[in-house]
C-alpha cells in the first residue's frame, strides 16, 4: 500500500491541472472542456475513498461535505448549455478553492505522512449561502432590488422564503364540469383571441374549447401585444383560476396560463401542488416560482443542520434538505391540506430546527451563568426576620415558596438569574424587599430599576418605610433630579453611603458606580431592552439578578424570551383582596357610565378614567385625555376636582397631581396608560377605560389592577365605541369572565402575537422564520428538552460530533444571544 503522503500528493497534482482554469477571470474556456463532469466526479470520488484518514473522522467529514457539494453541482453538468455551465462553475469555484487549500494543508503539515492539522472553520458553504441573490440564475439588478423590498438579500434568505399558501393543480377539470367558488384548472385549444369593448372598457378575451364546452378567459389590463402573440389560434393552453359566469357562460378573470409548447418550465406552474409566495409590486408569482425553483435546485443541498442523528430518529425528523425541497415544491403524493395548515412533515422539520438551535443557545447561556462565580449570601438572617415582623400581613404560601427559591439561588456560589412573575397585587414587592435586605445584611448594596419615574417614586416611598425601620439607608435616583442633589447622591452610591438605590434608567448612565453591588432587581422587565439590563448588571462584579413582571407571561413565550432564566411564580392573591367586577358598556350607554361614576363619588371613593391618547389626532377618531379632562370638569362633574396625568408632563408636575390624588384632593384622575403599573391608591374603586377595544387584554388587566387595592368593592368599566368583529367582542368578554392573569395572557398572545404582546421595544424576542410559539408549542417543548439534555451532557459542545453543531449555532444566533446574563 502506498504511503499516505504519496496518495495525497498524487491527488492534488491530478486535481490542480483542470481546476487551474477556475481561478481565471472567466469560465469561458473551462465551460468548453468536454467530459468535465466525468473527470471531476472521478477525482472527487477518489478523494473521498482513498485518503488514509485513520482516526480523523471529523476531518474526513469536513472534506466529504465539500466533495459532496461539488459532486451535486457537477451532476448533469455535461448536458447543460454553455451559459448554464458557466453559471454552475461560478458556484463551484469557491468550494473548489477551499478543497484545494485543505488538501494542501494535509500534505504540508505532516512530514510523516499522516494528517494532523486542525481544519479551518467550515465557512465556505455558509459563504455560498450568504452570497447576494444576484448569484442566482435569472436574478439581475432589477429583480434583486424588488426582492430586497421583502428583505430577501442572500441565497439563504430565498431558501427560507417559504410559500404563504399552496394551490392544488394536480387535477384537470372538464369545462362542462367546472363549478363556481373554487379555483380549477382546464386544458383546451384556443378558438378565438381578440380585444373587445364592454361599454367603454377594452378587454382582451380568449375563448378556449376542450371538447366539453367553451370557457372565456378575460384580461382587463395587461400587455395586449404580448397576449395576442401568446394566444395563437389552435395553440393548446393550461388555464388555472376561479371560474365564474354561471349559468350562461363560463369565464376566468386574469387566470394563470401556460402554453403547452413552452419547453422550459411548462410543468412548474401546473399539474402539481404549486407554491404561492408573498408578492411585491413588479414581482409576480411566476417569476418568484422560477427563481425559487432554481434556488432549491442549485442550493438546497448546501443547507446544513447537524442535529444529532439519535435526536432526529427519536423525533421522526426528515433531512432538512428534503424538507426545504418539499416545502417549496411538494411532491404530487403529498396531502395539500397539511401544507396549508403548516402541519406537514417538512414544516415540522424546519420548525423543530429553529426551536432546537434557539433553545441550544438558551441552554448554553443558562449554563454560562451557572458556571460564573457569584456571591454566596448568608440567608434568613436576623435583619430579614425583623423585616417579616414589620409586615402588616402574613406572607402567602406562594410568597414563602418563592422566597425560598430566591434564597437557594443567593446562597449558592453561582450568579442568580431569576424571573419573578406575579399577578397584580400578588405581593412581589415584599418578596423583592426580602432579597434586598438579605444582600444588605451581607454587606452589599442592592438596586431596583423601574421603567418610569412614577413607579420608581412609588417604590421608593413603599421601601423607605421598611428600610428606615431596619436601619438601612435608601436613596432615589431619577433623570429629572436637581444636578447638585444628583451629584451628591452619586458620590454616596460610589462610596457605600447608601444601601438601597431605587431608580429609573438613570441607574445605568455612565458615571454611576456602586461600591459593592450584590443584587439587581428589575421591575416590569418587559419595558427594558436586553442592553439596558446588561448595563445595570455590569455595575457590579457579579451581582445576582431578579427580574419581575406583573404581566403574566404564557409558558411558551417564557421558554423563548426567558429560556435562560429560572422562573418563579406567585400564583396566590393575598387574603382580603376582592376581585374587580368588570362590565362592557357601549357608547350609547355613556350617560349610564357617568351615573355610575357619580355614584362612586357620592360614596366618597375615587375614580380613574383612562384614554388611549394624550391629545386629539387628525388620523384617529378617538377621544383624548386632555380634551376629555376639560370636558368632564366643566360639563359633567363640575362639583368635583379632576386631575390630568400623562407621560409628556414633567416629573414634578406628575408628582404633584399624583400626591393630590393619593390625599383625595383630586377625586377623578384622567390619565393615559402611564398609570398602567405601580400606582397604589387604596380608595380608588372604579376604573373606566375609554376605547377599550384599542387596548390589549394584558394591558386592560394591568389597568384594572389599579383598583381593588383597598377594602371597598371595586369595578372596571370597558367603554367601547364600536366593535369591528365578533372576535373583538369575544376578546373583551374574557375580561368579564376571568381575573386569572395567565389565562388572559394566553388569550392575548393568541390574538395579538408575540411581537405585539411583548411590545416593539422588546429586543429579546427571537425572529423565527417559520416557527410560531403559539401554534407550535408542542414542538417547542420537545426541542427545548432535547437541547437542554444535550448541553447537560456536553456543556461546551466540545465533543467531535458537536463541532459543526456549535458552528451552526454561532452562525444563526451567536450575535443575538451574546448578553446571556440578563435574559
Amino acid at each position: 500500500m502506498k504511503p499516505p503522503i504519496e496518495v495525497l500528493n498524487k491527488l492534488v497534482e491530478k486535481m490542480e491541472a483542470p481546476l487551474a482554469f477556475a481561478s481565471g477571470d472567466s469560465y469561458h474556456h473551462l465551460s468548453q472542456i468536454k467530459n468535465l463532469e466525468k473527470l471531476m466526479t472521478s477525482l472527487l470520488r477518489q478523494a473521498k475513498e482513498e485518503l488514509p484518514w485513520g482516526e480523523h473522522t471529523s476531518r474526513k467529514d469536513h472534506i466529504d461535505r465539500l466533495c459532496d457539494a461539488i459532486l451535486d453541482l457537477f451532476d448533469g453538468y455535461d448536458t447543460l448549455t454553455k451559459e448554464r455551465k458557466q453559471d454552475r462553475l461560478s458556484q463551484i469555484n469557491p468550494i473548489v478553492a477551499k478543497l484545494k487549500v485543505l488538501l494542501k494543508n494535509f500534505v504540508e503539515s505532516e512530514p510523516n505522512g499522516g494528517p494532523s492539522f486542525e481544519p479551518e472553520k467550515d465557512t465556505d458553504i455558509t459563504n455560498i449561502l450568504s452570497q447576494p441573490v444576484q448569484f442566482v440564475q435569472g436574478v439581475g439588478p432589477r429583480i434583486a432590488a424588488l426582492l430586497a423590498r421583502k428583505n430577501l438579500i442572500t441565497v439563504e434568505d430565498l431558501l427560507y422564503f417559504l410559500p404563504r399558501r399552496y394551490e392544488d393543480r394536480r387535477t384537470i377539470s372538464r369545462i362542462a364540469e367546472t363549478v363556481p367558488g373554487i379555483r380549477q384548472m382546464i386544458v383546451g385549444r384556443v378558438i378565438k383571441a381578440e380585444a373587445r369593448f364592454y361599454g367603454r372598457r377594452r378587454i382582451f378575451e380568449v375563448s378556449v374549447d376542450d371538447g366539453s364546452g367553451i370557457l372565456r378567459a378575460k384580461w382587463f389590463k395587461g400587455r395586449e401585444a404580448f397576449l395576442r402573440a401568446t394566444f395563437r389560434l389552435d395553440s393548446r393552453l393550461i388555464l388555472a383560476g376561479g371560474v365564474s359566469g354561471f349559468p350562461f357562460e363560463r369565464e376566468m378573470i386574469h387566470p394563470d396560463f401556460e402554453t403547452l409548447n413552452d419547453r422550459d418550465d411548462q410543468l412548474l406552474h401546473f399539474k402539481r401542488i404549486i407554491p404561492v409566495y408573498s408578492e411585491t409590486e413588479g414581482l409576480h408569482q411566476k417569476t418568484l416560482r422560477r427563481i425559487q425553483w432554481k434556488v432549491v435546485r442549485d442550493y438546497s443541498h448546501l443547507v446544513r443542520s447537524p442535529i444529532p442523528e439519535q435526536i432526529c430518529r427519536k423525533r421522526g425528523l426528515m433531512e432538512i434538505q428534503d424538507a426545504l425541497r418539499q416545502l417549496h415544491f411538494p411532491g404530487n403524493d403529498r396531502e395539500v391540506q397539511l401544507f396549508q395548515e403548516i402541519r406537514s412533515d417538512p414544516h415540522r422539520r424546519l420548525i423543530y430546527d429553529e426551536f432546537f438551535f434557539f433553545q441550544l443557545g438558551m441552554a448554553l447561556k443558562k449554563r454560562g451563568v451557572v458556571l460564573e462565580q457569584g456571591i454566596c449570601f448568608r440567608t434568613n438572617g436576623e435583619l430579614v426576620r425583623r423585616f417579616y415582623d414589620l409586615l402588616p400581613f402574613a406572607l402567602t404560601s406562594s410568597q414563602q415558596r418563592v422566597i425560598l427559591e430566591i434564597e437557594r439561588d443567593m446562597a449558592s456560589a453561582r450568579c442568580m438569574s431569576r424571573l419573578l412573575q406575579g399577578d397584580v397585587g400578588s405581593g412581589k414587592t415584599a418578596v423583592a424587599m426580602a432579597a434586598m435586605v438579605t444582600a444588605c445584611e451581607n454587606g452589599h448594596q442592592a438596586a431596583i430599576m423601574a421603567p418610569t419615574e412614577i413607579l420608581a417614586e412609588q417604590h421608593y416611598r413603599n421601601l423607605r418605610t421598611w428600610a428606615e425601620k431596619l436601619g438601612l439607608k435608601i436613596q432615589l435616583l431619577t433623570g429629572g433630579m436637581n444636578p447638585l442633589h444628583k451629584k451628591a447622591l452619586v458620590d454616596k452610591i460610589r462610596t457605600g453611603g447608601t444601601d438601597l438605590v431605587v431608580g429609573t434608567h438613570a441607574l445605568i448612565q455612565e458615571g454611576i458606580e456602586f461600591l459593592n453591588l450584590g443584587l439587581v432587581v428589575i421591575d416590569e422587565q418587559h419595558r427594558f431592552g436586553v442592553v439596558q439590563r446588561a448595563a445595570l448588571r455590569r455595575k457590579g462584579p457579579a451581582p445576582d439578578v431578579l427580574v419581575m413582571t406583573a404581566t403574566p407571561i404564557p409558558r411558551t413565550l417564557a421558554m423563548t424570551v426567558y429560556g435562560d432564566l429560572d422562573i418563579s411564580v406567585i400564583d396566590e392573591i393575598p387574603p382580603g383582596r376582592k376581585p374587580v367586577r368588570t362590565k362592557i358598556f357601549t357608547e350609547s350607554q355613556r350617560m349610564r357610565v357617568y351615573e355610575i361614576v357619580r355614584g362612586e363619588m357620592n360614596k366618597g371613593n375615587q375614580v380613574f378614567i383612562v384614554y388611549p391618547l394624550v391629545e386629539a389626532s387628525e388620523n384617529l377618531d378617538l377621544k383624548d385625555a386632555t380634551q376629555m379632562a376639560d370636558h368632564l370638569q366643566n360639563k359633567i362633574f363640575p362639583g368635583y376636582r379632576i386631575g390630568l396625568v400623562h407621560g409628556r408632563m414633567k416629573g414634578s408636575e406628575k408628582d404633584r397631581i399624583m400626591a393630590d390624588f393619593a390625599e383625595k384632593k383630586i377625586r377623578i384622575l384622567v390619565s393615559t396608560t402611564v398609570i398602567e403599573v405601580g400606582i397604589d391608591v387604596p380608595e380608588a374603586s372604579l376604573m373606566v377605560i375609554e376605547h377599550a377595544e384599542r387596548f390589549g387584554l394584558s394591558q386592560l388587566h394591568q389597568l384594572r389592577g389599579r383598583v381593588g387595592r383597598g377594602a371597598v368593592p371595586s369595578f372596571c368599566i370597558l367603554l367601547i365605541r364600536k366593535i369591528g368583529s365578533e372576535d373583538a367582542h369575544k376578546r373583551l368578554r374574557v375580561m368579564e369572565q376571568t381575573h386569572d392573569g395567565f389565562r388572559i395572557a394566553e388569550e392575548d398572545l393568541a390574538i395579538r402575537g408575540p411581537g405585539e404582546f411583548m411590545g416593539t421595544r422588546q429586543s429579546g424576542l427571537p425572529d423565527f422564520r417559520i416557527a410560531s410559539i403559539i401554534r407550535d408549542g408542542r414542538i417547542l417543548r420537545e426541542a427545548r428538552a432535547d437541547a437542554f439534555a444535550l448541553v447537560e451532557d456536553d456543556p461546551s459542545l466540545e465533543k467531535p460530533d458537536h463541532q459543526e453543531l456549535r458552528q451552526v449555532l454561532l452562525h444563526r444566533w451567536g450575535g443575538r444571544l451574546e448578553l446571556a446574563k440578563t435574559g
Side-chain angles (χ1 to χ4, degrees):
M1 179 178 177
K2 292 182 180 179
I5 187 67
E6 292 184 22
V7 177
L8 289 166
N9 272 322
K10 185 176 180 182
L11 183 60
V12 172
E13 289 171 5
K14 283 184 178 180
M15 295 185 71
E16 280 193 327
L19 293 176
F21 288 101
S23 61
D25 297 330
S26 166
Y27 301 107
H28 173 73
H29 297 295
L30 188 58
S31 66
Q32 299 183 63
I33 295 177
K34 292 184 178 181
N35 300 319
L36 185 60
E37 176 186 348
K38 183 177 180 181
L39 172 63
M40 293 305 300
T41 299
S42 173
L43 289 172
L44 289 164
R45 284 178 179 162
Q46 184 181 358
K48 288 165 63 68
E49 294 169 5
E50 293 190 12
L51 285 177
W53 303 105
E55 299 298 321
H56 304 278
T57 54
S58 63
R59 296 166 186 174
K60 179 181 187 300
D61 290 343
H62 192 63
I63 295 286
D64 272 352
R65 287 195 301 273
L66 295 178
C67 290
D68 286 342
I70 300 172
L71 281 168
D72 285 342
L73 288 168
F74 269 117
D75 185 30
Y77 173 89
D78 288 342
T79 64
L80 298 175
T81 64
K82 176 182 170 183
E83 290 75 17
R84 293 294 309 283
K85 285 180 178 179
Q86 291 180 14
D87 181 63
R88 285 280 184 93
L89 289 169
S90 69
Q91 300 171 44
I92 291 167
N93 185 48
I95 312 177
V96 168
K98 175 68 173 179
L99 184 60
K100 288 168 64 180
V101 170
L102 287 175
L103 291 173
K104 285 184 177 180
N105 282 340
F106 263 97
V107 174
E108 295 168 0
S109 65
E110 182 51 62
N112 296 321
S116 65
F117 86 110
E118 288 300 319
E120 298 174 26
K121 288 186 178 178
D122 184 13
T123 58
D124 287 287
I125 288 175
T126 299
N127 289 341
I128 292 172
L129 295 178
S130 299
Q131 290 178 146
V133 293
Q134 283 182 250
F135 276 74
V136 178
Q137 182 191 8
V139 178
R142 185 186 71 83
I143 290 181
L146 294 173
L147 291 171
R149 291 184 190 172
K150 302 193 75 64
N151 204 28
L152 301 173
I153 309 300
T154 67
V155 171
E156 186 175 19
D157 291 337
L158 288 174
L159 279 170
Y160 285 93
F161 177 55
L162 300 181
R164 60 183 175 86
R165 63 180 179 87
Y166 298 84
E167 277 189 18
D168 190 348
R169 294 186 180 177
R170 290 174 290 187
T171 304
I172 295 175
S173 302
R174 289 163 57 84
I175 291 175
E177 296 170 356
T178 53
V179 294
I182 60 172
R183 292 180 65 86
Q184 293 147 96
M185 183 168 66
I186 64 105
V187 175
R189 181 175 55 86
V190 176
I191 59 174
K192 185 185 293 185
E194 61 183 358
R196 298 183 59 183
F197 282 94
Y198 287 81
R200 299 175 62 184
R201 195 171 191 180
R202 186 180 177 92
I203 294 173
F204 192 80
E205 186 175 286
V206 176
S207 299
V208 177
D209 186 353
D210 72 346
S212 73
I214 295 174
L215 180 143
R216 291 182 173 83
K218 298 179 179 180
W219 284 265
F220 296 103
K221 56 182 179 179
R223 296 168 295 171
E224 185 178 315
F226 168 76
L227 294 171
R228 193 180 294 278
T230 300
F231 300 120
R232 300 182 182 278
L233 289 180
D234 287 328
S235 62
R236 293 185 70 238
L237 294 180
I238 299 177
L239 297 175
V243 183
S244 58
F246 295 84
F248 305 108
E249 65 176 19
R250 287 166 168 78
E251 64 182 22
M252 286 184 179
I253 308 299
H254 285 253
D256 286 341
F257 63 88
E258 202 76 44
T259 56
L260 285 178
N261 55 355
D262 279 354
R263 297 183 58 193
D264 184 27
D265 59 355
Q266 64 184 36
L267 297 183
L268 181 57
H269 313 291
F270 300 95
K271 293 187 178 180
R272 66 185 309 145
I273 299 171
I274 66 153
V276 179
Y277 297 94
S278 172
E279 294 180 358
T280 188
E281 186 177 352
L283 191 61
H284 303 299
Q285 281 304 318
K286 281 190 177 180
T287 304
L288 274 171
R289 214 170 286 138
R290 289 189 183 105
I291 290 170
Q292 293 297 74
W293 175 264
K294 292 166 185 172
V295 169
V296 171
R297 179 194 64 196
D298 295 338
Y299 296 98
S300 62
H301 63 281
L302 297 176
V303 176
R304 294 288 181 261
S305 176
I307 296 173
E309 188 178 341
Q310 66 270 25
I311 292 178
C312 293
R313 281 200 308 269
K314 180 174 76 171
R315 300 300 183 190
L317 302 175
M318 66 191 302
E319 289 287 339
I320 194 163
Q321 297 94 337
D322 291 339
L324 279 167
R325 294 181 191 114
Q326 287 290 327
L327 285 172
H328 286 284
F329 297 96
N332 279 350
D333 60 339
R334 295 286 180 167
E335 188 177 339
V336 70
Q337 195 59 32
L338 293 177
F339 281 78
Q340 300 283 33
E341 295 171 0
I342 315 181
R343 293 190 298 114
S344 70
D345 286 342
H347 279 108
R348 191 165 67 87
R349 170 61 211 242
L350 258 66
I351 291 166
Y352 182 94
D353 187 78
E354 282 199 293
F355 281 149
F356 178 83
F357 279 99
F358 182 77
Q359 291 298 333
L360 193 64
M362 289 283 103
L364 289 172
K365 283 174 65 179
K366 188 169 185 177
R367 184 76 182 183
V369 172
V370 168
L371 295 177
E372 186 178 15
Q373 187 67 34
I375 303 165
C376 294
F377 291 100
R378 296 185 313 278
T379 59
N380 198 30
E382 181 186 347
L383 200 62
V384 176
R385 290 195 294 272
R386 283 175 53 197
F387 165 65
Y388 295 148
D389 291 338
L390 292 174
L391 295 175
F393 51 82
L395 294 171
T396 64
S397 59
S398 186
Q399 285 173 303
Q400 293 174 28
R401 185 192 70 246
V402 169
I403 286 173
L404 285 174
E405 291 170 353
I406 292 171
E407 285 183 342
R408 277 198 297 269
D409 284 356
M410 295 184 74
S412 73
R414 71 180 181 90
C415 285
M416 175 173 72
S417 285
R418 184 168 289 275
L419 171 67
L420 172 58
Q421 292 193 73
D423 213 339
V424 177
S426 61
K428 296 183 300 300
T429 305
V431 170
M433 184 63 181
M436 290 189 285
V437 171
T438 294
C440 294
E441 191 172 10
N442 280 263
H444 290 267
Q445 294 166 296
I448 179 168
M449 182 165 72
T452 66
E453 289 194 7
I454 288 180
L455 184 51
E457 288 154 4
Q458 181 168 295
H459 273 317
Y460 175 68
R461 287 194 299 271
N462 292 338
L463 299 181
R464 183 176 60 184
T465 303
W466 292 326
E468 289 175 348
K469 291 179 181 179
L470 294 171
L472 297 175
K473 296 182 287 292
I474 185 171
Q475 298 289 342
L476 173 68
L477 177 67
T478 63
M481 294 178 67
N482 176 283
L484 289 176
H485 179 55
K486 184 176 181 180
K487 183 178 183 302
L489 176 54
V490 168
D491 288 340
K492 282 186 178 181
I493 295 171
R494 188 180 65 253
T495 59
T498 184
D499 303 298
L500 294 172
V501 183
V502 182
T504 58
H505 64 279
L507 285 173
I508 61 175
Q509 292 175 346
E510 283 190 35
I512 308 297
E513 298 177 6
F514 288 78
L515 177 66
N516 193 14
L517 183 62
L519 175 66
V520 170
V521 179
I522 301 170
D523 195 17
E524 293 307 325
Q525 52 70 41
H526 64 286
R527 300 293 188 91
F528 293 106
V530 73
V531 174
Q532 291 168 304
R533 298 198 291 271
L536 182 54
R537 185 165 195 165
R538 286 197 296 270
K539 296 294 182 179
D544 284 353
V545 174
L546 179 68
V547 293
M548 304 194 302
T549 178
T551 304
I553 301 170
R555 185 166 179 260
T556 51
L557 193 56
M559 281 194 291
T560 48
V561 182
Y562 309 107
D564 60 322
L565 301 182
D566 296 306
I567 298 177
S568 292
V569 180
I570 301 177
D571 49 15
E572 284 182 86
I573 298 295
R577 289 209 59 174
K578 299 174 182 177
V580 178
R581 291 180 55 193
T582 305
K583 186 169 177 57
I584 298 171
F585 285 79
T586 61
E587 180 66 30
S588 62
Q589 299 170 294
R590 175 172 292 276
M591 298 315 295
R592 170 67 182 136
V593 171
Y594 289 158
E595 289 174 17
I596 295 172
V597 172
R598 190 171 285 108
E600 289 302 304
M601 309 284 281
N602 291 338
K603 295 177 189 176
N605 298 329
Q606 293 169 276
V607 177
F608 288 102
I609 303 180
V610 175
Y611 294 87
L613 301 178
V614 175
E615 297 175 341
S617 166
E618 295 180 4
N619 302 320
L620 297 171
D621 183 20
L622 301 174
K623 289 180 170 58
D624 64 278
T626 304
Q627 289 188 15
M628 286 304 295
D630 183 68
H631 172 72
L632 293 171
Q633 181 70 84
N634 296 315
K635 304 287 185 181
I636 308 299
F637 305 112
Y640 298 101
R641 184 181 169 196
I642 294 176
L644 170 67
V645 64
H646 55 74
R648 296 183 192 172
M649 298 169 72
K650 291 183 179 179
S652 57
E653 189 178 0
K654 281 188 288 191
D655 289 345
R656 178 179 55 79
I657 294 169
M658 292 305 302
D660 286 351
F661 188 57
E663 294 169 11
K664 296 189 72 170
K665 295 177 182 177
I666 291 174
R667 300 294 301 281
I668 298 176
L669 183 65
V670 174
S671 170
T672 58
T673 57
V674 70
I675 56 101
E676 178 186 348
V677 292
I679 305 303
D680 192 358
V681 181
E683 293 190 28
S685 64
L686 177 62
M687 168 68 68
V688 179
I689 304 173
E690 293 254 20
H691 299 292
E693 71 276 7
R694 303 283 299 187
F695 297 88
L697 293 181
S698 292
Q699 195 170 32
L700 292 174
H701 182 61
Q702 292 294 306
L703 290 168
R704 178 170 64 179
R706 296 309 103 211
V707 297
R709 305 179 78 85
V712 296
S714 298
F715 308 90
C716 177
I717 290 174
L718 306 178
L719 185 56
I720 58 177
R721 174 171 296 184
K722 60 183 178 180
I723 291 290
S725 68
E726 183 60 32
D727 285 345
H729 207 171
K730 179 181 176 183
R731 178 174 73 90
L732 289 178
R733 290 286 180 208
V734 173
M735 296 296 298
E736 291 184 318
Q737 296 163 0
T738 184
H739 292 84
D740 183 343
F742 284 94
R743 181 186 162 194
I744 290 169
E746 291 283 1
E747 292 275 354
D748 204 17
L749 177 64
I751 291 164
R752 295 196 294 155
E756 193 177 342
F757 180 93
M758 294 302 295
T760 55
R761 289 183 294 170
Q762 174 50 254
S763 57
L765 193 65
D767 48 346
F768 295 124
R769 284 162 160 158
I770 178 173
S772 163
I773 64 174
I774 303 170
R775 181 192 64 227
D776 306 317
R778 181 180 60 81
I779 303 175
L780 169 59
R781 288 188 288 273
E782 291 176 354
R784 179 176 173 81
D786 294 340
F788 272 69
L790 189 147
V791 169
E792 184 69 24
D793 178 58
D794 183 10
S796 300
L797 300 184
E798 292 176 339
K799 292 183 178 180
D801 292 346
H802 295 159
Q803 292 298 305
E804 189 177 3
L805 199 65
R806 184 185 183 91
Q807 290 174 17
V808 172
L809 174 65
L810 290 173
H811 169 63
R812 295 195 193 180
W813 292 105
R816 287 172 286 181
L817 297 183
E818 181 181 359
L819 296 173
K821 301 175 191 174
T822 54

